[in-house]
Amino acid sequence: MTPIEIGLISVAAIVFLIYSGVYIPVALGMVSLISIWLMRDNFTLSLNLLKIAVGDSAMVYSFATIPLFTFMGLIVSKAGLGRDIYEVMTMRFRRVKGGIGMATVGANAVFAAVTGSSIASASVFTKVSVPQMIAQDYNPRFAVGVVAGSSVLGMIIPPSAMLIIYSFVAEQSVGDMFLAGVIPGIMLAIAYVAAIWFMGRFTPEFVGGRTVADSEWMSAREIASKTLPTLGLITIVLGGIYTGWMTAVEAGATGSLVALIIALVRRSMTLKGFWEALLETGHITAAILFLITAASIYSRMLGLAGLPNQLQDLLAGNAASFWTVMLLYVLLMIFLGTILDTASIILIVVPLFLPLVEAMEMSLIWFGIITVVGAEIGLLTPPLGISCFVIKSTLNDDNITLKDVFMGALPFAFVMLIILFILIEFPILSLALL
């Protein structure tokens, strides 16, 4: 077989193995190792490339952002900042039709800016928001759909684990990727709020719920105590990166320290909780490092097979336009999103398309935002919408089925698709802060 044929078979084999339940890094690493061995008939070369991949992944300075931002997010979650922001948002929005849903989106957007995890957001707001919406007679499908849709904001609003993974695969600055995600993340949150208003106005039976004419307002002091810690943390982390005072690694370290101080002042951090946060940080960091190492050897395999260049020549030979390439890319990500998680999509598809994007002289930072937003849609689509599965497993209500979660999330997946095409048409939206 030619290297091209081996490369194509290897990509198909990786997708098949992941879909069959094989651990993602194992599938990527094992297939890539065997493919290089077959292409070069040299097992020693395969092992040497694997050693280089491990060294390149573990020794990169910017990799320190992963454990630091992960630890910060875990501490913030244990400190109860998500619940505080939600309570303030609910007080402001509950008089509007669908207002608690809007409050959930707003709180999720703020929470995402200090956690970077859609899974954490889905878990926290399933416990906090869904019971309150159901108590207010909201449609259960709408209640779980709002949480599912807004939870993916954690993947685009910095600090985001997916933006970090993309930055390693595409060899881009983590700080630049964080800044590029700010405007698209805010746009997506605003679009969700607008969609909820639209549904409340034109499809009230889907939203359900009742507005509260008179509700108790918090004092200014109470509002400040619930919001200032989170806003201060966001200002320190993103402000430090934006002004250039701190690198992404330094911002992560500073944010972790500030988050720990906040948790201690609020007396929400015990020694046991601190130890659990450290252990979970280690587990998540090891898993992501394994992913990045496997992606590194996979990229080298694709380069040896010549697949990226072959794809570029194929599209150039057919005189494919910019929009043809981007539509193909979006459709591919949406298709893979029905069977794979976001990290898998980024690791498998991005190395194939990077040379093509560079040849079109498009920004790889912009392409990263397009990739993450496109892959996020997969978090809301069956049969493997991870956020939907997290919400279902967190719920203590057997009356809400997994189908209800997916159906409730469907309108928000459509909103994401609209925002994605706007970002493709106007790259400046992703690059304005750089």
Side-chain angles (χ1 to χ4, degrees):
M1 289 188 293
T2 65
I4 291 292
E5 292 171 335
I6 294 174
L8 288 172
I9 293 173
S10 68
V11 173
I14 287 169
V15 174
F16 174 77
L17 288 174
I18 294 174
Y19 189 54
S20 300
V22 177
Y23 188 40
I24 299 166
V26 172
L28 281 170
M30 180 177 64
V31 173
S32 300
L33 194 69
I34 294 173
S35 298
I36 293 172
W37 181 14
L38 292 175
M39 282 187 286
R40 291 294 185 262
D41 194 21
N42 188 338
F43 186 65
T44 303
L45 174 63
S46 296
L47 289 179
N48 287 337
L49 287 177
L50 180 59
K51 292 177 184 176
I52 294 172
V54 172
D56 288 350
S57 303
M59 300 304 292
V60 175
Y61 169 73
S62 57
F63 179 78
T65 54
I66 293 175
L68 291 171
F69 280 111
T70 300
F71 180 71
M72 182 182 72
L74 291 172
I75 295 298
V76 164
S77 181
K78 291 180 181 296
L81 297 186
R83 180 183 294 272
D84 285 351
I85 291 294
Y86 174 75
E87 290 175 357
V88 174
M89 291 284 186
T90 301
M91 179 192 68
R92 294 292 181 181
F93 282 99
R94 66 190 308 167
R95 298 185 182 185
V96 183
K97 180 71 172 177
I100 297 183
M102 297 177 185
T104 301
V105 172
N108 244 318
V110 176
F111 191 65
V114 289
T115 60
S117 171
S118 63
I119 304 304
S121 295
S123 178
V124 168
F125 287 96
T126 297
K127 297 174 184 176
V128 172
S129 179
V130 173
Q132 184 168 344
M133 280 196 276
I134 292 177
Q136 295 284 339
D137 297 330
Y138 278 81
N139 184 341
R141 283 192 175 183
F142 173 77
V144 292
V146 168
V147 175
S150 58
S151 69
V152 301
L153 293 171
M155 288 297 183
I156 189 66
I157 295 178
S160 160
M162 291 303 110
L163 291 179
I164 293 174
I165 290 176
Y166 173 85
S167 70
F168 280 105
V169 174
E171 298 181 353
Q172 298 298 304
S173 163
V174 175
D176 286 348
M177 289 304 308
F178 281 178
L179 292 177
V182 173
I183 293 177
I186 294 173
M187 284 178 57
L188 189 56
I190 293 173
Y192 279 164
V193 171
I196 292 172
W197 176 86
F198 182 88
M199 288 185 283
R201 179 74 181 272
F202 297 101
T203 58
E205 66 283 351
F206 174 73
V207 176
R210 60 179 187 270
T211 57
V212 179
D214 296 310
S215 59
E216 185 178 347
W217 284 71
M218 297 179 186
S219 65
R221 183 175 181 179
E222 190 175 1
I223 293 174
S225 68
K226 289 179 178 292
T227 58
L228 288 182
T230 302
L231 297 178
L233 186 57
I234 294 171
T235 302
I236 290 171
V237 174
L238 296 185
I241 296 174
Y242 182 70
T243 58
W245 290 350
M246 293 184 286
T247 65
V249 174
E250 292 166 345
T254 305
S256 296
L257 177 60
V258 173
L260 188 57
I261 292 172
I262 291 172
L264 291 174
V265 170
R266 293 164 64 97
R267 298 181 180 179
S268 57
M269 176 59 63
T270 63
L271 188 60
K272 180 182 178 182
F274 178 71
W275 179 246
E276 289 174 351
L278 286 176
L279 285 178
E280 193 169 349
T281 298
H283 293 157
I284 294 172
T285 301
I288 294 178
L289 177 58
F290 200 5
L291 273 172
I292 292 172
T293 300
S296 180
I297 187 67
Y298 169 69
S299 298
R300 286 172 167 80
M301 183 274 293
L302 290 179
L304 286 174
L307 272 183
N309 292 333
Q310 193 76 8
L311 177 63
Q312 183 177 336
D313 294 341
L314 176 65
L315 293 174
N318 290 310
S321 66
F322 166 79
W323 269 104
T324 301
V325 173
M326 295 313 299
L327 283 173
L328 174 65
Y329 187 64
V330 170
L331 289 173
L332 180 61
M333 285 194 295
I334 292 176
F335 168 72
L336 290 177
T338 64
I339 57 175
L340 302 175
D341 63 279
T342 309
S344 302
I345 297 171
I346 292 174
L347 296 176
I348 292 172
V349 177
V350 168
L352 279 170
F353 278 81
L354 278 180
L356 188 61
V357 175
E358 290 179 313
M360 292 191 298
E361 299 182 349
M362 299 302 295
S363 167
L364 293 184
I365 299 291
W366 161 83
F367 186 65
I369 300 301
I370 299 303
T371 299
V372 172
V373 174
E376 278 180 350
I377 299 175
L379 293 177
L380 305 179
T381 53
L384 193 65
I386 293 178
S387 286
C388 296
F389 277 96
V390 169
I391 289 169
K392 175 56 184 171
S393 64
T394 306
L395 281 171
N396 293 320
D397 190 344
D398 294 332
N399 294 322
I400 300 178
T401 65
L402 185 60
K403 179 183 177 181
D404 291 329
V405 182
F406 278 120
M407 292 302 294
L410 193 60
F412 298 95
F414 180 71
V415 171
M416 287 179 63
L417 192 60
I418 295 174
I419 294 297
L420 177 60
F421 284 120
I422 292 174
L423 293 173
I424 292 175
E425 176 65 24
F426 303 103
I428 188 62
L429 293 172
S430 302
L431 305 175
L433 297 180
L434 299 181

